Amino acid sequence: MPHLHFMMDGYGVVEEHGNNVMAVYELLNTVANRLSLEPVMPPFLVPYYYCDDAEDGGISAFLICKGGHVTIHTFPYRSCYFVDVLSDNFFSATAAEEVFLEQLHAKRVRSELIDRRVIYMEPSKTVDIDKDFGPHYMIEVKDVEMTMEWIFNWLDNIAEQINMLPITRPYVLTDTRENPNYISGMLVVAQSHIAVHYDVHEKKALIDIFSCAFLDGDTIKRILKDYFGENLEWRLYSRGSKHDDQYQRKADRTSVSKNWRNNI
Protein backbone atom coordinates (compact mmCIF):
# COMPACT_ATOMS: atom_id res chain seq x y z
CA MET A 1 0.00 0.00 0.00
CA PRO A 2 1.16 3.56 -0.63
CA HIS A 3 1.96 5.87 2.23
CA LEU A 4 1.77 9.39 0.90
CA HIS A 5 2.65 12.38 3.06
CA PHE A 6 1.48 15.85 2.04
CA MET A 7 3.00 18.87 3.79
CA MET A 8 1.93 22.47 3.30
CA ASP A 9 3.10 25.67 4.95
CA GLY A 10 0.83 28.68 4.43
CA TYR A 11 1.70 32.36 4.94
CA GLY A 12 -0.23 35.60 4.76
CA VAL A 13 -3.25 34.14 6.57
CA VAL A 14 -6.05 36.30 7.95
CA GLU A 15 -5.69 36.31 11.73
CA GLU A 16 -9.38 35.59 12.40
CA HIS A 17 -9.31 32.46 10.25
CA GLY A 18 -6.46 30.96 12.25
CA ASN A 19 -8.44 31.57 15.46
CA ASN A 20 -11.69 30.05 14.19
CA VAL A 21 -12.13 26.78 16.08
CA MET A 22 -15.29 25.77 14.23
CA ALA A 23 -13.69 26.42 10.83
CA VAL A 24 -10.69 24.25 11.70
CA TYR A 25 -12.98 21.49 12.96
CA GLU A 26 -15.02 21.50 9.75
CA LEU A 27 -11.85 21.67 7.65
CA LEU A 28 -10.55 18.40 9.12
CA ASN A 29 -13.83 16.67 8.22
CA THR A 30 -13.81 18.18 4.72
CA VAL A 31 -10.22 17.13 4.03
CA ALA A 32 -10.94 13.56 5.09
CA ASN A 33 -14.07 13.40 2.91
CA ARG A 34 -12.59 15.00 -0.21
CA LEU A 35 -9.39 12.93 -0.10
CA SER A 36 -11.12 9.64 0.94
CA LEU A 37 -8.98 9.22 4.05
CA GLU A 38 -11.27 6.94 6.11
CA PRO A 39 -11.32 8.69 9.52
CA VAL A 40 -11.58 6.44 12.59
CA MET A 41 -12.34 9.20 15.12
CA PRO A 42 -13.86 12.68 15.11
CA PRO A 43 -11.56 15.71 14.88
CA PHE A 44 -9.78 16.72 18.07
CA LEU A 45 -8.79 20.35 18.69
CA VAL A 46 -6.48 21.90 21.26
CA PRO A 47 -6.68 25.70 21.49
CA TYR A 48 -3.28 26.80 22.80
CA TYR A 49 -3.18 30.38 24.03
CA TYR A 50 -1.34 30.03 27.34
CA CYS A 51 2.17 29.82 25.86
CA ASP A 52 5.13 31.89 27.04
CA ASP A 53 5.15 33.98 23.85
CA ALA A 54 1.67 35.17 22.88
CA GLU A 55 2.74 35.19 19.23
CA ASP A 56 2.93 31.37 19.39
CA GLY A 57 -0.74 31.04 20.31
CA GLY A 58 -3.18 29.29 18.03
CA ILE A 59 -4.99 26.01 17.39
CA SER A 60 -3.53 22.52 17.12
CA ALA A 61 -5.91 19.97 15.63
CA PHE A 62 -5.75 16.39 14.39
CA LEU A 63 -7.83 13.65 12.87
CA ILE A 64 -6.64 10.04 12.94
CA CYS A 65 -7.48 8.09 9.80
CA LYS A 66 -6.81 4.53 8.72
CA GLY A 67 -3.01 4.26 8.70
CA GLY A 68 -2.48 8.01 8.89
CA HIS A 69 -3.62 11.42 10.05
CA VAL A 70 -4.46 15.01 9.23
CA THR A 71 -2.93 17.72 11.41
CA ILE A 72 -3.29 21.49 11.41
CA HIS A 73 -1.28 23.93 13.50
CA THR A 74 -2.35 27.56 13.16
CA PHE A 75 -0.28 30.56 14.23
CA PRO A 76 -2.81 33.38 13.68
CA TYR A 77 -0.61 36.07 15.25
CA ARG A 78 2.20 35.09 12.90
CA SER A 79 -0.25 34.82 9.97
CA CYS A 80 0.75 31.26 9.11
CA TYR A 81 -0.24 27.62 9.50
CA PHE A 82 1.24 24.16 8.92
CA VAL A 83 -0.70 21.12 7.75
CA ASP A 84 0.13 17.45 7.19
CA VAL A 85 -1.82 14.63 5.56
CA LEU A 86 -0.47 11.08 5.88
CA SER A 87 -2.51 8.29 4.26
CA ASP A 88 -2.25 4.72 3.03
CA ASN A 89 -4.49 5.72 0.10
CA PHE A 90 -3.52 7.56 -3.06
CA PHE A 91 -4.60 11.19 -3.22
CA SER A 92 -3.77 14.25 -5.27
CA ALA A 93 -1.43 16.91 -3.90
CA THR A 94 -3.31 19.49 -5.95
CA ALA A 95 -6.63 18.42 -4.43
CA ALA A 96 -5.12 18.54 -0.94
CA GLU A 97 -3.76 22.05 -1.45
CA GLU A 98 -7.06 23.28 -2.89
CA VAL A 99 -9.20 22.03 -0.02
CA PHE A 100 -7.00 23.69 2.60
CA LEU A 101 -6.87 26.98 0.72
CA GLU A 102 -10.64 27.05 0.35
CA GLN A 103 -10.99 27.34 4.12
CA LEU A 104 -7.65 28.71 5.33
CA HIS A 105 -6.69 31.25 2.69
CA ALA A 106 -2.99 32.02 2.35
CA LYS A 107 -1.18 34.50 0.14
CA ARG A 108 1.69 32.10 -0.44
CA VAL A 109 2.21 28.42 0.24
CA ARG A 110 4.94 25.83 0.02
CA SER A 111 3.69 22.27 -0.41
CA GLU A 112 5.27 18.90 -1.07
CA LEU A 113 4.04 15.34 -1.55
CA ILE A 114 6.36 12.62 -0.26
CA ASP A 115 6.19 8.87 -0.87
CA ARG A 116 7.00 7.33 2.51
CA ARG A 117 7.69 3.97 0.82
CA VAL A 118 10.93 5.43 -0.50
CA ILE A 119 13.60 4.89 2.14
CA TYR A 120 15.29 8.20 1.45
CA MET A 121 14.51 11.05 -0.86
CA GLU A 122 16.53 14.25 -0.95
CA PRO A 123 14.41 17.08 0.49
CA SER A 124 13.63 19.88 -1.95
CA LYS A 125 14.84 22.39 0.61
CA THR A 126 18.09 22.29 2.58
CA VAL A 127 17.92 22.84 6.33
CA ASP A 128 18.87 26.26 7.70
CA ILE A 129 18.41 26.32 11.47
CA ASP A 130 18.84 30.10 11.57
CA LYS A 131 16.11 30.89 9.06
CA ASP A 132 13.76 27.91 8.99
CA PHE A 133 10.79 27.49 11.30
CA GLY A 134 11.42 23.99 12.61
CA PRO A 135 12.27 20.37 11.83
CA HIS A 136 10.05 17.50 10.73
CA TYR A 137 11.62 14.08 11.33
CA MET A 138 10.08 11.25 9.30
CA ILE A 139 11.04 7.85 10.69
CA GLU A 140 10.37 4.28 9.57
CA VAL A 141 10.94 1.37 11.94
CA LYS A 142 10.89 -2.21 10.61
CA ASP A 143 10.54 -5.61 12.31
CA VAL A 144 9.16 -4.18 15.52
CA GLU A 145 6.48 -5.35 17.94
CA MET A 146 4.17 -2.62 19.23
CA THR A 147 1.00 -2.75 21.31
CA MET A 148 -1.45 0.01 22.21
CA GLU A 149 0.01 0.13 25.70
CA TRP A 150 3.58 0.35 24.38
CA ILE A 151 2.70 3.18 21.99
CA PHE A 152 0.90 5.07 24.76
CA ASN A 153 3.84 4.76 27.14
CA TRP A 154 6.34 5.72 24.43
CA LEU A 155 4.40 8.84 23.49
CA ASP A 156 3.89 9.68 27.16
CA ASN A 157 7.65 9.82 27.72
CA ILE A 158 9.41 10.67 24.45
CA ALA A 159 8.49 14.38 24.24
CA GLU A 160 10.25 15.38 27.42
CA GLN A 161 13.22 13.17 26.57
CA ILE A 162 13.82 15.21 23.41
CA ASN A 163 12.98 18.54 25.04
CA MET A 164 9.48 19.06 23.62
CA LEU A 165 6.53 20.32 25.67
CA PRO A 166 3.47 18.01 25.71
CA ILE A 167 0.13 19.80 26.08
CA THR A 168 -2.05 16.67 26.00
CA ARG A 169 -1.72 13.05 27.05
CA PRO A 170 -1.36 10.52 24.19
CA TYR A 171 -4.33 9.37 22.11
CA VAL A 172 -4.00 5.77 20.89
CA LEU A 173 -6.57 3.72 18.95
CA THR A 174 -6.96 1.01 16.33
CA ASP A 175 -8.49 1.48 12.90
CA THR A 176 -11.18 -1.15 13.62
CA ARG A 177 -12.61 -2.69 16.78
CA GLU A 178 -11.81 -6.24 15.62
CA ASN A 179 -8.77 -7.52 13.73
CA PRO A 180 -7.12 -4.11 13.34
CA ASN A 181 -4.68 -3.34 10.55
CA TYR A 182 -3.19 -0.29 12.27
CA ILE A 183 -2.58 1.05 15.74
CA SER A 184 -2.22 4.83 15.68
CA GLY A 185 -1.09 7.25 18.35
CA MET A 186 -0.92 11.03 18.54
CA LEU A 187 0.62 13.39 21.09
CA VAL A 188 0.07 17.13 20.77
CA VAL A 189 3.06 19.15 21.88
CA ALA A 190 3.36 22.93 21.97
CA GLN A 191 2.01 23.86 18.52
CA SER A 192 3.29 20.67 16.88
CA HIS A 193 2.92 16.90 17.28
CA ILE A 194 4.41 13.41 17.52
CA ALA A 195 2.55 10.64 15.65
CA VAL A 196 2.92 6.86 15.36
CA HIS A 197 1.18 4.55 12.88
CA TYR A 198 1.96 0.86 13.35
CA ASP A 199 1.12 -1.67 10.63
CA VAL A 200 0.11 -4.78 12.59
CA HIS A 201 0.67 -7.22 9.72
CA GLU A 202 3.91 -5.82 8.33
CA LYS A 203 5.27 -5.04 11.82
CA LYS A 204 6.38 -1.64 10.59
CA ALA A 205 5.86 1.79 12.12
CA LEU A 206 5.85 5.27 10.61
CA ILE A 207 6.74 7.94 13.14
CA ASP A 208 6.60 11.72 12.74
CA ILE A 209 8.22 14.23 15.07
CA PHE A 210 7.32 17.78 14.07
CA SER A 211 8.64 20.64 16.17
CA CYS A 212 8.31 24.41 16.02
CA ALA A 213 11.92 24.70 17.23
CA PHE A 214 15.05 22.89 16.15
CA LEU A 215 16.06 19.98 18.34
CA ASP A 216 19.39 18.30 18.91
CA GLY A 217 19.47 15.78 16.05
CA ASP A 218 22.21 13.65 17.59
CA THR A 219 20.22 13.34 20.81
CA ILE A 220 17.08 12.28 18.93
CA LYS A 221 19.02 9.66 16.96
CA ARG A 222 20.57 8.26 20.12
CA ILE A 223 17.23 8.06 21.95
CA LEU A 224 15.47 6.43 18.99
CA LYS A 225 18.24 3.85 18.64
CA ASP A 226 17.88 3.08 22.34
CA TYR A 227 14.24 2.19 21.62
CA PHE A 228 14.48 0.60 18.18
CA GLY A 229 18.11 -0.40 17.61
CA GLU A 230 19.32 -0.25 14.02
CA ASN A 231 15.93 -1.12 12.46
CA LEU A 232 15.13 2.44 11.55
CA GLU A 233 15.50 4.84 8.65
CA TRP A 234 14.85 8.53 8.91
CA ARG A 235 14.96 11.78 7.03
CA LEU A 236 14.79 15.40 8.11
CA TYR A 237 12.63 18.02 6.43
CA SER A 238 12.74 21.69 7.29
CA ARG A 239 9.39 23.43 7.65
CA GLY A 240 8.59 27.04 6.93
CA SER A 241 10.75 30.07 7.49
CA LYS A 242 11.15 32.69 10.18
CA HIS A 243 9.20 34.94 7.77
CA ASP A 244 10.68 38.28 8.79
CA ASP A 245 7.77 40.07 7.13
CA GLN A 246 5.48 38.70 9.84
CA TYR A 247 7.77 39.97 12.57
CA GLN A 248 7.61 43.37 10.87
CA ARG A 249 3.83 43.02 10.89
CA LYS A 250 4.00 42.44 14.65
CA ALA A 251 6.10 45.57 15.10
CA ASP A 252 3.69 47.61 12.98
CA ARG A 253 0.67 46.34 14.91
CA THR A 254 2.35 47.11 18.23
CA SER A 255 3.24 50.63 17.13
CA VAL A 256 -0.34 51.31 16.05
CA SER A 257 -1.78 49.99 19.29
CA LYS A 258 0.49 52.36 21.22
CA ASN A 259 -0.26 55.48 19.16
CA TRP A 260 -2.11 56.96 22.10
CA ARG A 261 1.24 57.51 23.82
CA ASN A 262 2.16 60.04 21.14
CA ASN A 263 -0.99 62.05 21.79
CA ILE A 264 -0.47 62.78 25.47
mmCIF file of all heavy atoms in Angstrom, residues 80-97:
data_model
loop_
_atom_site.group_PDB
_atom_site.id
_atom_site.type_symbol
_atom_site.label_atom_id
_atom_site.label_comp_id
_atom_site.label_asym_id
_atom_site.label_seq_id
_atom_site.Cartn_x
_atom_site.Cartn_y
_atom_site.Cartn_z
ATOM 1 N N CYS A 80 0.334 32.461 9.834
ATOM 2 C CA CYS A 80 0.750 31.257 9.109
ATOM 3 C C CYS A 80 0.107 30.021 9.715
ATOM 4 O O CYS A 80 -0.486 30.060 10.795
ATOM 5 C CB CYS A 80 2.274 31.120 9.112
ATOM 6 S SG CYS A 80 3.004 30.788 10.727
ATOM 7 N N TYR A 81 0.191 28.914 8.984
ATOM 8 C CA TYR A 81 -0.245 27.621 9.501
ATOM 9 C C TYR A 81 0.549 26.518 8.818
ATOM 10 O O TYR A 81 1.152 26.720 7.764
ATOM 11 C CB TYR A 81 -1.749 27.407 9.308
ATOM 12 C CG TYR A 81 -2.225 27.377 7.873
ATOM 13 C CD1 TYR A 81 -2.145 26.221 7.101
ATOM 14 C CD2 TYR A 81 -2.803 28.498 7.293
ATOM 15 C CE1 TYR A 81 -2.607 26.185 5.791
ATOM 16 C CE2 TYR A 81 -3.265 28.471 5.981
ATOM 17 C CZ TYR A 81 -3.159 27.316 5.239
ATOM 18 O OH TYR A 81 -3.609 27.286 3.944
ATOM 19 N N PHE A 82 0.539 25.330 9.442
ATOM 20 C CA PHE A 82 1.237 24.163 8.918
ATOM 21 C C PHE A 82 0.276 22.984 8.932
ATOM 22 O O PHE A 82 -0.403 22.743 9.936
ATOM 23 C CB PHE A 82 2.473 23.839 9.768
ATOM 24 C CG PHE A 82 3.464 24.965 9.828
ATOM 25 C CD1 PHE A 82 3.436 25.876 10.866
ATOM 26 C CD2 PHE A 82 4.420 25.112 8.839
ATOM 27 C CE1 PHE A 82 4.340 26.924 10.918
ATOM 28 C CE2 PHE A 82 5.325 26.159 8.876
ATOM 29 C CZ PHE A 82 5.284 27.074 9.920
ATOM 30 N N VAL A 83 0.196 22.267 7.826
ATOM 31 C CA VAL A 83 -0.695 21.118 7.745
ATOM 32 C C VAL A 83 0.065 19.893 7.247
ATOM 33 O O VAL A 83 1.063 20.007 6.528
ATOM 34 C CB VAL A 83 -1.905 21.393 6.816
ATOM 35 C CG1 VAL A 83 -2.703 22.585 7.303
ATOM 36 C CG2 VAL A 83 -1.458 21.615 5.383
ATOM 37 N N ASP A 84 -0.418 18.722 7.648
ATOM 38 C CA ASP A 84 0.127 17.447 7.190
ATOM 39 C C ASP A 84 -1.025 16.496 6.917
ATOM 40 O O ASP A 84 -2.009 16.469 7.662
ATOM 41 C CB ASP A 84 1.033 16.817 8.256
ATOM 42 C CG ASP A 84 2.349 17.537 8.405
ATOM 43 O OD1 ASP A 84 2.432 18.488 9.207
ATOM 44 O OD2 ASP A 84 3.301 17.148 7.710
ATOM 45 N N VAL A 85 -0.883 15.712 5.856
ATOM 46 C CA VAL A 85 -1.817 14.626 5.557
ATOM 47 C C VAL A 85 -0.981 13.388 5.272
ATOM 48 O O VAL A 85 -0.175 13.373 4.334
ATOM 49 C CB VAL A 85 -2.705 14.931 4.335
ATOM 50 C CG1 VAL A 85 -3.636 13.750 4.061
ATOM 51 C CG2 VAL A 85 -3.506 16.219 4.540
ATOM 52 N N LEU A 86 -1.149 12.365 6.087
ATOM 53 C CA LEU A 86 -0.472 11.077 5.876
ATOM 54 C C LEU A 86 -1.542 10.024 5.674
ATOM 55 O O LEU A 86 -2.465 9.900 6.490
ATOM 56 C CB LEU A 86 0.406 10.729 7.080
ATOM 57 C CG LEU A 86 1.078 9.350 7.066
ATOM 58 C CD1 LEU A 86 2.044 9.213 5.893
ATOM 59 C CD2 LEU A 86 1.804 9.093 8.379
ATOM 60 N N SER A 87 -1.446 9.249 4.582
ATOM 61 C CA SER A 87 -2.510 8.288 4.260
ATOM 62 C C SER A 87 -1.944 7.058 3.580
ATOM 63 O O SER A 87 -0.936 7.140 2.877
ATOM 64 C CB SER A 87 -3.555 8.942 3.357
ATOM 65 O OG SER A 87 -4.539 8.015 2.951
ATOM 66 N N ASP A 88 -2.616 5.925 3.767
ATOM 67 C CA ASP A 88 -2.248 4.717 3.030
ATOM 68 C C ASP A 88 -3.045 4.595 1.741
ATOM 69 O O ASP A 88 -3.012 3.575 1.074
ATOM 70 C CB ASP A 88 -2.402 3.462 3.894
ATOM 71 C CG ASP A 88 -3.841 3.106 4.195
ATOM 72 O OD1 ASP A 88 -4.721 3.953 3.940
ATOM 73 O OD2 ASP A 88 -4.088 1.998 4.688
ATOM 74 N N ASN A 89 -3.786 5.658 1.379
ATOM 75 C CA ASN A 89 -4.486 5.723 0.097
ATOM 76 C C ASN A 89 -3.803 6.732 -0.818
ATOM 77 O O ASN A 89 -3.145 7.660 -0.357
ATOM 78 C CB ASN A 89 -5.948 6.168 0.296
ATOM 79 C CG ASN A 89 -6.791 5.080 0.914
ATOM 80 O OD1 ASN A 89 -6.513 3.896 0.748
ATOM 81 N ND2 ASN A 89 -7.819 5.482 1.636
ATOM 82 N N PHE A 90 -3.987 6.559 -2.112
ATOM 83 C CA PHE A 90 -3.516 7.560 -3.057
ATOM 84 C C PHE A 90 -4.417 8.792 -2.978
ATOM 85 O O PHE A 90 -5.633 8.677 -2.839
ATOM 86 C CB PHE A 90 -3.523 7.010 -4.489
ATOM 87 C CG PHE A 90 -2.423 6.022 -4.762
ATOM 88 C CD1 PHE A 90 -2.705 4.668 -4.880
ATOM 89 C CD2 PHE A 90 -1.110 6.450 -4.896
ATOM 90 C CE1 PHE A 90 -1.693 3.753 -5.137
ATOM 91 C CE2 PHE A 90 -0.089 5.551 -5.156
ATOM 92 C CZ PHE A 90 -0.384 4.191 -5.276
ATOM 93 N N PHE A 91 -3.827 9.960 -3.099
ATOM 94 C CA PHE A 91 -4.603 11.189 -3.223
ATOM 95 C C PHE A 91 -3.758 12.212 -3.965
ATOM 96 O O PHE A 91 -2.539 12.085 -4.085
ATOM 97 C CB PHE A 91 -5.051 11.725 -1.857
ATOM 98 C CG PHE A 91 -3.924 12.142 -0.936
ATOM 99 C CD1 PHE A 91 -3.422 13.435 -0.955
ATOM 100 C CD2 PHE A 91 -3.375 11.226 -0.038
ATOM 101 C CE1 PHE A 91 -2.403 13.830 -0.105
ATOM 102 C CE2 PHE A 91 -2.349 11.595 0.813
ATOM 103 C CZ PHE A 91 -1.854 12.902 0.781
ATOM 104 N N SER A 92 -4.413 13.241 -4.454
ATOM 105 C CA SER A 92 -3.766 14.254 -5.269
ATOM 106 C C SER A 92 -3.243 15.393 -4.405
ATOM 107 O O SER A 92 -3.979 15.928 -3.559
ATOM 108 C CB SER A 92 -4.757 14.800 -6.301
ATOM 109 O OG SER A 92 -4.331 16.037 -6.824
ATOM 110 N N ALA A 93 -1.992 15.776 -4.621
ATOM 111 C CA ALA A 93 -1.429 16.912 -3.900
ATOM 112 C C ALA A 93 -2.175 18.193 -4.256
ATOM 113 O O ALA A 93 -2.407 19.054 -3.395
ATOM 114 C CB ALA A 93 0.057 17.057 -4.218
ATOM 115 N N THR A 94 -2.563 18.311 -5.521
ATOM 116 C CA THR A 94 -3.313 19.491 -5.952
ATOM 117 C C THR A 94 -4.652 19.581 -5.236
ATOM 118 O O THR A 94 -5.063 20.648 -4.766
ATOM 119 C CB THR A 94 -3.539 19.459 -7.472
ATOM 120 O OG1 THR A 94 -2.278 19.435 -8.141
ATOM 121 C CG2 THR A 94 -4.328 20.668 -7.929
ATOM 122 N N ALA A 95 -5.340 18.436 -5.124
ATOM 123 C CA ALA A 95 -6.626 18.416 -4.430
ATOM 124 C C ALA A 95 -6.456 18.759 -2.958
ATOM 125 O O ALA A 95 -7.276 19.470 -2.371
ATOM 126 C CB ALA A 95 -7.280 17.047 -4.586
ATOM 127 N N ALA A 96 -5.378 18.257 -2.347
ATOM 128 C CA ALA A 96 -5.123 18.543 -0.938
ATOM 129 C C ALA A 96 -4.881 20.034 -0.733
ATOM 130 O O ALA A 96 -5.432 20.656 0.188
ATOM 131 C CB ALA A 96 -3.928 17.731 -0.445
ATOM 132 N N GLU A 97 -4.058 20.617 -1.582
ATOM 133 C CA GLU A 97 -3.760 22.045 -1.450
ATOM 134 C C GLU A 97 -5.023 22.881 -1.639
ATOM 135 O O GLU A 97 -5.269 23.838 -0.892
ATOM 136 C CB GLU A 97 -2.695 22.448 -2.465
ATOM 137 C CG GLU A 97 -2.211 23.879 -2.319
ATOM 138 C CD GLU A 97 -1.020 24.172 -3.190
ATOM 139 O OE1 GLU A 97 -0.015 23.424 -3.107
ATOM 140 O OE2 GLU A 97 -1.081 25.164 -3.954
#
